[in-house]
Amino acid sequence: MSKFKEGKKRSIVASVTYLLLSVSKIILGLLFFSLVVYADGIHSITDFLTGIVVFVGLSLAERPVSEEFPFGMYKAENLASLVVAIVMAYAGIDIIRSSLFSGFGTIRYPLMLILLEVVSCIVTYWLSRYLSKTPGLKLYSVKAEGIHAYQDTLISLGVIVGVLGEWLNYHYLGKAVAVGVAVYILYQSYFIGKDSLLILLDISDKGAVEGIKKVVYTISEVVGVHEIKVRRAGPFLIASMHLEVPPSLSVKEADELADAVEEKLKESIDSLVYVSIHIEPGSFSGKWRIALLVDKDGNLVENIKDAKRVIIVDTWNKILEEFSLDKGDVRAMAEHLKKRKVGAVITNGKDDLLIMKAYGIGVYYSPVKNVKESLELFRQGALDPDVKSR
Ligand SMILES: [Zn+2]
């Protein structure tokens, strides 16, 4: 999978950038006695680590699924994020401790420190654009990194204010900015830590469930879907579901339908790597394609030879198609209905319409002739699929 090549490259570029920034900030902060710049340097180290974690996560995700890890090692990314969150929290607490309980001497070369932070502003702003424009697969971790890089730009602006405070002997301003940076780090570590922990515990992804539902219902033969379960693993989604299909389909046809659903899902949702589908006969209240055999007045016919027209309806979206019937050619009609993905025929008739069943189309016998009433009875599951001779 070379899907991650660009994401990996960009997270390495980000890491190297943050490493250079953090080393310069820590050295110059310590050398010239600026607590805020030093605190910002510690913050940049956590950003460097985040970049490494994203890189490692994507590298593990590239590994092919093995017998030992049948779902891949995608969760390594989440585990690593949790470690980063803990490191970040420690760094945050450490900065607060050192800002509150230690004097830091008198600042020197403040203009140079301000220049460093201006460079940091520009570089992190560029980085935020660079990361958020990563082409190809949408990688959650790279996107989050991009958002964070923009926050770094804002932090550097704050740090410039802090350096001015230290320079002009408003020490409280300097300390306040340092504590502010630390609180921000703690806040970030809380969210990153919470997210990775929840993903490790297989929290459900409601947005993805809705997305899957939408895609599945666009496939015309599908009657319904339920028990959709989605979990995250690194940048990926793993899903299982119960797919409702017309009960008249053969096992082979149902399997083909399940394959089509899987293919369409993977096509529409980039991050979906594994789909497991359990097939069930569709509930009558689901989305069915139904053909109705009617006479010239639009009522269901008793004998197929009286049928003048066929109406194909979608039980959710009303009438799809209406056409006149070629006298007698039931086979041609069955073929056409199959092509139009019809799952059931409703008739008031006495014919058993075996030919429909041979094409995998269910035949349901309505006790009434009115089309609307018959459809309503179908929805309630009140129509009999198995009347042979009446
Ligand atoms: Zn940052």
Side-chain angles (χ1 to χ4, degrees), residues 25-39 102-117 158-175 177-178:
K25 285 173 189 171
I26 289 173
I27 291 177
L28 294 189
L30 287 174
L31 222 55
F32 303 148
F33 305 108
S34 168
L35 182 66
V36 262
V37 173
Y38 170 73
S102 62
F104 217 68
T106 313
I107 191 169
R108 291 165 63 199
Y109 304 109
L111 280 176
M112 197 156 159
L113 294 168
I114 288 173
L115 183 68
L116 175 63
E117 288 297 335
V159 170
I160 291 173
V161 175
V163 173
L164 287 173
E166 288 174 337
W167 186 13
L168 303 172
N169 264 325
Y170 295 126
H171 279 287
Y172 284 107
L173 187 57
K175 282 181 187 236
V177 171

Side-chain angles (χ1 to χ4, degrees), residues 18 40 43-44 46-47 88 124 148-149 151-152 155 184-185 188:
Y18 280 124
D40 192 31
H43 160 215
S44 297
T46 64
D47 292 339
M88 281 173 85
T124 51
H148 181 78
Q151 298 169 341
D152 291 333
I155 287 180
Y184 180 75
I185 294 172
Q188 289 284 328

Side-chain angles (χ1 to χ4, degrees), residues 52-321:
I52 295 293
V53 162
V54 171
F55 177 81
V56 170
L58 294 178
S59 304
L60 287 174
E62 266 185 334
R63 287 194 177 184
V65 170
S66 67
E67 221 170 279
E68 242 184 316
F69 292 97
F71 290 99
M73 291 184 70
Y74 310 137
K75 287 204 176 202
E77 188 196 6
N78 309 114
L79 189 61
S81 298
L82 186 61
V83 174
V84 168
I86 293 166
V87 173
M88 281 173 85
Y90 178 78
I93 290 166
D94 196 50
I95 292 168
I96 292 178
R97 204 170 44 86
S98 52
S99 346
L100 296 185
F101 304 113
S102 62
F104 217 68
T106 313
I107 191 169
R108 291 165 63 199
Y109 304 109
L111 280 176
M112 197 156 159
L113 294 168
I114 288 173
L115 183 68
L116 175 63
E117 288 297 335
V118 169
V119 170
S120 172
C121 268
I122 295 166
V123 169
T124 51
Y125 182 72
W126 168 79
L127 205 55
S128 71
R129 310 291 300 164
Y130 179 67
L131 290 171
S132 60
K133 282 181 181 164
T134 305
L137 187 70
K138 201 181 211 168
L139 297 166
Y140 177 78
S141 48
V142 176
K143 198 182 147 219
E145 247 197 308
I147 294 170
H148 181 78
Y150 182 64
Q151 298 169 341
D152 291 333
T153 310
L154 302 179
I155 287 180
S156 288
L157 286 175
V159 170
I160 291 173
V161 175
V163 173
L164 287 173
E166 288 174 337
W167 186 13
L168 303 172
N169 264 325
Y170 295 126
H171 279 287
Y172 284 107
L173 187 57
K175 282 181 187 236
V177 171
V179 171
V181 169
V183 168
Y184 180 75
I185 294 172
L186 287 174
Y187 167 84
Q188 289 284 328
S189 76
Y190 169 72
F191 281 104
I192 294 174
K194 193 180 93 175
D195 268 7
S196 19
L197 198 60
L198 291 177
I199 291 172
L200 286 169
L201 292 175
D202 281 341
I203 191 175
S204 132
D205 185 326
K206 280 185 187 133
V209 169
E210 282 311 305
I212 286 176
K213 217 182 242 177
K214 235 185 229 168
V215 173
V216 172
Y217 275 117
T218 61
I219 298 170
S220 21
E221 268 178 299
V222 167
V223 171
V225 62
H226 62 270
E227 288 266 329
I228 303 176
K229 292 182 180 176
V230 182
R231 56 205 168 101
R232 267 187 186 286
F236 295 114
L237 294 174
I238 291 171
S240 69
M241 68 201 68
H242 293 188
L243 187 70
E244 299 177 34
V245 308
S248 47
L249 292 188
S250 68
V251 174
K252 186 168 170 283
E253 286 170 319
D255 176 58
E256 280 164 10
L257 183 55
D259 283 346
V261 168
E262 186 177 339
E263 199 177 315
K264 180 99 187 243
L265 280 172
K266 284 185 176 168
E267 214 172 83
S268 325
I269 305 169
D270 270 347
S271 47
L272 193 62
V273 284
Y274 184 85
V275 183
S276 164
I277 297 177
H278 164 92
I279 300 257
E280 279 181 21
S283 101
F284 292 105
S285 54
K287 181 181 73 76
W288 285 73
R289 280 199 171 195
I290 294 181
L292 301 143
L293 308 179
V294 298
D295 61 20
K296 59 183 187 335
D297 302 322
N299 289 315
L300 289 179
V301 291
E302 233 174 279
N303 278 306
I304 188 144
K305 64 180 190 311
D306 302 326
K308 294 281 183 249
R309 282 179 308 138
V310 178
I311 305 171
I312 300 178
V313 296
D314 177 318
T315 52
W316 282 9
N317 306 314
K318 307 287 159 55
I319 294 176
L320 296 172
E321 188 185 343

